[in-house]
Amino acid sequence: MEKKEEVIKTESPMVNLTFADQIPMSFTSSGIFDMPCDQEGEKGGGGSLGFVDMLGIQDYYCNPSLFDMFQSPLPPPQQPVPSPAVQESSEVLNTPATPNSLSMSSSSAEAGNEEKESKTTVEEGEEQDQAKTKKQLKPKKKTTKREREPRFAFMTRSEVDHLDDGYRWRKYGQKAVKNSPFPRSYYRCTTAACGVKKRVERSSDDRTIVVTTYEGTHTHPCPVTPRGSIGIMPESTGFGGIGSSSFVLNPPPHHYYHQQQQQQQQQQQQSYFHNPTTSLTFSTTNNPPFPTFVQERPSCPPSSSLLRDHGLLQDIVPSQMRKEPKEE
DNA sequence: CGCGTTTGACCAGCGC
DNA sequence: GCGCTGGTCAAACGCG
């Protein structure tokens, strides 16, 4: 089963997701990467794919309005825009041609394997418990293919494999991956009754790239939100449905930003996002899955005024930095 | 003691 | 049917 061959390449710069850096983040863009599965046509595809280049603005096909929102200095992507169909079966949805890219996508990842994840054990709900008894009872397949959980995969450049997204995860497995020297780790949300899973693996092409795939929907608020984290949890996939999760995000080097003509904006943004603990968070409740930056916050829910419950970019991005979407 | 990680074993799906 | 591979389980272990 090799489904990783199909990759989408981007040439855009990426956010550097190392934790130690204190470089001010320059935030220019984001992308919407989640659409309802049915919208994408491929029900089995488990949703849509979208790519987000934190700095390069790679909103490939999901939400052009983002460009307006962020007043991106960059034009829409010139590089070959991947057809959504291309990624339907790919797991690594975006293998950057350059190390500078961060991409996200929902769904797809391992469409084939998904079927496995819809094992028989989970059909009566409480998949956790069911799964536990599975081994004992050995129900032996029923081949009833459960509907796929919403999935969301993205790639980050990080020195650490397991990015802190604010939720608590328990590692329940690790497997060597074929054609990759790096093992894949399996995590499950530790919250009871929350069956969200997460897979973390490093790209075999670029060991600095961490591919994280979320599956499922959190049924609870984000329990903790450590400092400086970036949440990339599109609501429609359920990852940000209640509380925004977060990933520690390393501010990228300035040069990621497109040349001098953007410097002014860059300065604006950097001055605003000067806090190295700035986080990128995809929208929370009642909001579209826009990624938004939030300031460091001690806990969930956020207490900062910047984190007012809009959960949107507007909550934190200065108005001059964005154009109001003017009602979509 | 509770929680999380490690790790070998087991299971299921898929291709040949 | 068999082997490969991905995904999961759960006992053992480590840590605070």
Side-chain angles (χ1 to χ4, degrees):
Chain A
M1 285 193 209
E2 299 184 33
K3 305 184 185 69
K4 309 180 68 166
E5 311 309 328
E6 298 182 49
V7 296
I8 306 304
K9 302 195 174 186
T10 70
E11 298 176 356
S12 39
M14 76 175 287
V15 169
N16 200 351
L17 284 169
T18 50
F19 297 156
D21 291 349
Q22 297 291 312
I23 306 170
M25 169 177 294
S26 51
F27 170 64
T28 64
S29 75
S30 63
I32 297 304
F33 40 84
D34 178 72
M35 291 188 294
C37 301
D38 38 2
Q39 274 189 14
E40 187 158 58
E42 235 264 352
K43 193 170 187 178
S48 65
L49 301 175
F51 293 88
V52 176
D53 264 328
M54 305 303 289
L55 295 175
I57 303 185
Q58 301 297 324
D59 183 356
Y60 284 99
Y61 40 74
C62 293
N63 193 339
S65 66
L66 283 171
F67 289 96
D68 289 336
M69 286 186 62
F70 296 101
Q71 277 196 332
S72 161
L74 296 177
Q78 301 262 341
Q79 54 262 73
V81 176
S83 157
V86 173
Q87 292 111 22
E88 283 178 357
S89 61
S90 67
E91 168 160 17
V92 176
L93 300 151
N94 182 357
T95 299
T98 72
N100 293 330
S101 69
L102 175 139
S103 57
M104 307 173 188
S105 67
S106 67
S107 89
S108 81
E110 291 174 7
N113 292 337
E114 306 266 326
E115 319 296 350
K116 294 189 201 169
E117 293 175 2
S118 38
K119 287 179 191 168
T120 58
T121 50
V122 217
E123 33 195 42
E124 290 129 294
E126 296 306 288
E127 46 187 320
Q128 309 283 54
D129 296 339
Q130 296 286 335
K132 282 187 178 179
T133 59
K134 168 179 131 185
K135 203 169 186 177
Q136 302 165 355
L137 302 177
K138 292 187 179 176
K140 285 263 179 171
K141 78 176 155 204
K142 250 193 242 167
T143 331
T144 55
K145 294 189 176 180
R146 181 178 51 135
E147 280 192 18
R148 200 173 299 171
E149 295 281 349
R151 304 184 84 186
F152 172 72
F154 63 93
M155 301 173 73
T156 56
R157 163 173 280 200
S158 173
E159 294 175 0
V160 299
D161 292 339
H162 190 195
L163 302 177
D164 192 340
D165 59 1
Y167 288 91
R168 299 183 65 187
W169 300 93
R170 181 172 129 89
K171 189 176 185 178
Y172 66 89
Q174 177 173 309
K175 286 285 288 187
V177 182
K178 189 186 176 186
N179 294 332
S180 175
F182 308 104
R184 173 181 299 159
S185 298
Y186 300 89
Y187 297 88
R188 193 145 39 204
C189 183
T190 59
T191 302
C194 179
V196 176
K197 296 176 212 167
K198 165 164 111 172
R199 286 185 314 212
V200 178
E201 64 182 292
R202 287 200 173 272
S203 169
S204 59
D205 294 331
D206 186 343
R207 63 185 59 194
T208 65
I209 301 296
V210 177
V211 180
T212 306
T213 303
Y214 289 85
E215 177 179 349
T217 302
H218 285 290
T219 59
H220 57 93
C222 169
V224 294
T225 303
R227 63 164 187 81
S229 50
I230 166 180
I232 309 177
M233 293 294 164
E235 173 191 18
S236 50
T237 61
F239 298 112
I242 299 175
S244 46
S245 57
S246 49
F247 280 82
V248 178
L249 176 68
N250 243 340
H254 303 178
H255 66 264
Y256 284 147
Y257 222 41
H258 240 238
Q259 320 301 315
Q260 299 172 344
Q261 62 185 123
Q262 286 97 33
Q263 278 188 352
Q264 186 171 1
Q265 285 183 346
Q266 183 176 4
Q267 289 171 358
Q268 284 180 341
Q269 295 162 0
Q270 287 183 352
S271 63
Y272 186 79
F273 295 115
H274 185 69
N275 185 345
T277 61
T278 296
S279 302
L280 173 64
T281 301
F282 279 87
S283 81
T284 56
T285 320
N286 300 329
N287 289 305
F290 296 157
T292 59
F293 279 95
V294 296
Q295 299 294 326
E296 175 177 1
R297 55 188 189 233
S299 64
C300 278
S303 58
S304 166
S305 60
L306 290 172
L307 298 176
R308 267 195 312 263
D309 285 342
H310 300 299
L312 289 177
L313 183 72
Q314 64 185 31
D315 296 335
I316 51 171
V317 177
S319 59
Q320 61 264 37
M321 285 181 59
R322 58 181 172 84
K323 289 185 222 166
E324 286 298 332
K326 285 183 184 176
E327 57 187 81
E328 281 280 310

